[in-house]
Amino acid sequence: MRVHKITFAAVAVAAGLSLTACQNGDDAAAPGGGPSSASTASPAPSAPSTTGGADQSGGKGSPAVAGGKGTAAGTGSDKGGASGSDKCRTGDLEITAIDSTIGGDTDGTVAVQFKNHGSRDCTLSEYAGVDLKTDAGSISAKRTGQHPGPTTLKKGAAVSFGVTYPLNTSGGSGVRVTGLVVTPPDETKSVSLAWPGAATLPVTDGSGSPVKVGPIGSAGQGG
């Protein structure tokens, strides 16, 4: 029996040592686990990152907010655009042309009228684009060079400008005019109209356009 007790005691001591060794092993692993834990917590420094992210969010949020407020700012921008869009657009204008040549004048005159049938007041800068279609090709009217500044066209109101051209008194057949193309100021969309003036222009030596366009509001002023 004594032998068995001693053996049992030896086994118990060995088990105790083994358990201690295991615990020591676990403790030793803990430092490694510590970093591992810290490493896992690294996303927690993500908290700084999150804070940084929040800052970035805030930074991005600023534009986003700026975008949101920028909606107001954007609206302002749109207003700026709207003030840009306060310019009279081709679709807002009823465009007509009539012969307004006065007897005894050496040049013929066509008055082109812009009438605002849009829903708001709009602005016209100084010159419209004018081209005459002829059987010899297109002739672009040359600006007279006056600078009266922009014109505000009230809703429902109208304003005119003059197009002057030399009358064909040569006795020859001249250059036949087949149409008038008008482009409102700062626009790209044009309107084609019937030409209401004299049927022909005199043949020129090609030293410059014989057709001139006056600024908005110049009709009746000789271009």
Side-chain angles (χ1 to χ4, degrees), residues 84-96 113-118 120 122-124 128-129 153 181-193:
S85 48
D86 282 341
K87 293 176 181 177
C88 299
R89 301 302 180 192
T90 304
D92 295 330
L93 299 171
E94 180 184 340
I95 304 174
T96 55
Q113 183 186 81
F114 287 154
K115 183 174 183 180
N116 181 4
H117 65 70
R120 55 182 172 73
C122 62
T123 303
L124 292 162
L153 190 57
V181 179
V182 179
T183 310
D186 302 316
E187 271 285 63
T188 54
K189 186 177 179 182
S190 303
V191 172
S192 293
L193 304 171

Side-chain angles (χ1 to χ4, degrees), residues 6 8 16 23 36 43 47 52-53 66 96 125 128 136 141 150 153 162 167 172 175 208 210 218 222:
I6 290 169
F8 178 78
Q23 286 174 343
S36 185
T96 55
S125 57
L153 190 57
L167 295 170
V175 177
S218 67

Side-chain angles (χ1 to χ4, degrees), residues 55-87:
D55 290 342
Q56 284 179 337
S57 247
K60 290 180 184 172
S62 291
V65 174
K69 291 181 180 176
T71 306
T75 306
S77 210
D78 287 340
K79 281 186 178 174
S83 47
S85 48
D86 282 341
K87 293 176 181 177

